[in-house]
Amino acid sequence: ELKVEQNPLFLSMQEGKNYTIYCNYSTTSDRLYWYRQDPGKSLESLFVLLSNGAVKQEGRLMASLDTKARLSTLHITAAVHDLSATYFCAVAQETSGSRLTFGEGTQLTVNP
Amino acid sequence: GAVVSQHPSWVICKSGTSVKIECRSLDFQATTMFWYRQFPKQSLMLMATSNEGSKATYEQGVEKDKFLINHASLTLSTLTVTSAHPEDSSFYICSAVGDRGLILNNEQFFGPGTRLTVL
């Protein structure tokens, strides 16, 4: 059974600081996704990572994937208040088609 | 492109009544749709996988007679919560995978969610 773990689950940081959210998964996968969720809203797709060593960046967020270590990271650079949200990683198991297993989510609060 | 809608966006109902939630893919045909439930401060829990023209596949612990899923066309899936009770109150989110799987990398596109409150 595929397990996906995120760390940390709660993160409070000051504006301007950097931090990394980690996503570990237990079995081989060919796709990993990062999503953002604002309170009361659905998921917003941030990144799709498809291969080992993949790195994608959008604004102050950068995601990477290491399939050998079964680890993805979401790095936040110079955080701003607008980044406050819950971030989920989700992993597609190779044999499960489009079915996703979600991590627990990381609730990020960026303080002025 | 790849827009998914849900209707209604929120609903309040009395205990014992049934509620139907619609999930539509607006600009693509969805071979597969997924239904999730999310309780406050928790992650998404997959309830069932719905394929057009066939019976839904339910996750362990999800009562198929309580949560009826119908995927009648390539653009519409419905979730009916039958005899709803307060513990069914939750945020229900659907997603859809397009028939252009190779191009869209089997990516799920999420609807905006439906907030269900059962009194």
Side-chain angles (χ1 to χ4, degrees), chain A residues 6 10 31 33 35 37 39-43 45 47-48 50 88 96-100 102-105 107, chain B residues 6 32 34 36 38 41-44 46 49 59 91 93-94 97 104-108 110-113 115:
Chain A
Q6 285 182 237
F10 298 93
R31 280 165 287 130
Y33 303 84
Y35 297 95
Q37 185 178 38
K41 304 289 187 181
S42 186
L43 300 184
S45 178
F47 301 107
V48 180
L50 301 176
F88 292 96
S96 66
S98 47
R99 188 177 186 276
L100 294 178
F102 281 82
E104 307 98 320
Q107 185 176 321
Chain B
Q6 279 184 245
T32 304
F34 298 89
Y36 297 88
Q38 186 181 34
K41 305 294 185 183
Q42 294 188 23
S43 187
L44 277 71
L46 179 63
T49 303
E59 295 299 302
F91 192 46
I93 303 174
C94 74
V97 177
L104 297 175
N105 296 312
N106 281 327
E107 184 172 358
Q108 294 186 27
F110 288 85
R115 175 81 53 196

Side-chain angles (χ1 to χ4, degrees), chain A residues 19-40:
Chain A
Y19 207 82
T20 300
I21 299 171
Y22 298 88
C23 174
N24 289 91
Y25 54 98
S26 60
T27 64
T28 56
S29 167
D30 55 0
R31 280 165 287 130
L32 188 141
Y33 303 84
W34 283 97
Y35 297 95
R36 169 182 172 144
Q37 185 178 38
D38 291 297

